[in-house]
Amino acid sequence: MSSSLALKILKSLNILYVEDEKNIRNNIEQILKLLCKDVYSASNGKEALSIFKKNNIDIILSDINMPEMSGLELSSEIRKNYKYIPIILLTAHTDINFLLKATKLKLIDYLVKPLNLKDLKNALLNAALEYKEQFEEIIYFKNNIEYHINKKLLFENSIKKDITNKELLLLEFLYENKSRVSTKDEIKNELWEDSFEATDSAFKSLLNKLRKKIGKESVKNISGVGYQLETISN
């Protein structure tokens, strides 16, 4: 895909920029306004999380070391419910521990400060392409049921269906691992932080609720092994 098309996509997207140093934030914010649709800025992760929850954010660009909530903590918090939104982190770190933590967050890129504007633009263009790919990705089930991944919306015959956050987490986990069978324990460990809440009855209840919304046959039970998502091509 050409860079001109990627730039066109980028200009239609909203970005959240997080940086605690005011002068840097003001300067980069002006550059972002030339590349993106709307630019939201915050001075720390806590403020950024509040903005993210109240606005339609398509891309996140965040510094790492900030007061109240770091860029890594912010990214981890967002990844709990939004696994596909493009995130770019800005850092002075090059140590192994940081790289390992960053890898787990499925970043689009991480850029070393001070920022090289060419590298920043390239990272943003890649984020725009990633957004487009995820935005257009739709999971199709039988009976005209669709799940739009980026929008986190479920439809049946083009009519929106209610789906809970926990049901979404289960659906997205099964989709991410659709090429294999996922065990019950593996799913429980992924969806519940508290092992006391991750009871067999809680799991069964959640699974049944999801099946009612996407079709019982859409989650196959491989006897004695685990569960696997069954989708159809569009």
Side-chain angles (χ1 to χ4, degrees), residues 100-115:
L100 288 174
K101 290 179 182 178
T103 299
K104 293 178 181 179
L105 294 171
K106 300 179 183 178
L107 306 178
I108 291 296
D109 208 343
Y110 66 91
L111 304 177
V112 178
K113 298 170 71 175
L115 277 177

Side-chain angles (χ1 to χ4, degrees), residues 11-89:
K11 286 181 178 290
S12 70
L13 302 180
N14 300 329
I15 188 167
L16 172 58
Y17 174 46
V18 196
E19 167 62 61
D20 62 321
E21 294 187 36
K22 185 176 180 179
N23 289 338
I24 296 176
R25 186 171 68 250
N26 290 342
N27 290 336
I28 298 299
E29 189 176 347
Q30 296 308 309
I31 295 171
L32 294 175
K33 286 180 178 179
L34 299 174
L35 298 171
C36 304
K37 182 182 177 182
D38 290 322
V39 179
Y40 298 85
S41 64
S43 59
N44 60 68
K46 187 175 181 181
E47 181 186 357
L49 190 60
S50 177
I51 292 173
F52 180 82
K53 291 178 178 178
K54 295 176 183 177
N55 297 278
N56 182 26
I57 304 298
D58 303 312
I59 299 173
I60 295 170
L61 175 68
S62 177
D63 188 20
I64 292 290
N65 293 321
M66 298 180 294
E68 295 193 59
M69 180 184 285
S70 73
L72 283 174
E73 291 170 329
L74 169 65
S75 300
S76 296
E77 192 66 28
I78 288 173
R79 278 287 179 258
K80 289 179 180 179
N81 296 312
Y82 297 87
K83 296 186 177 182
Y84 301 101
I85 187 169
I87 298 177
I88 303 167
L89 290 183

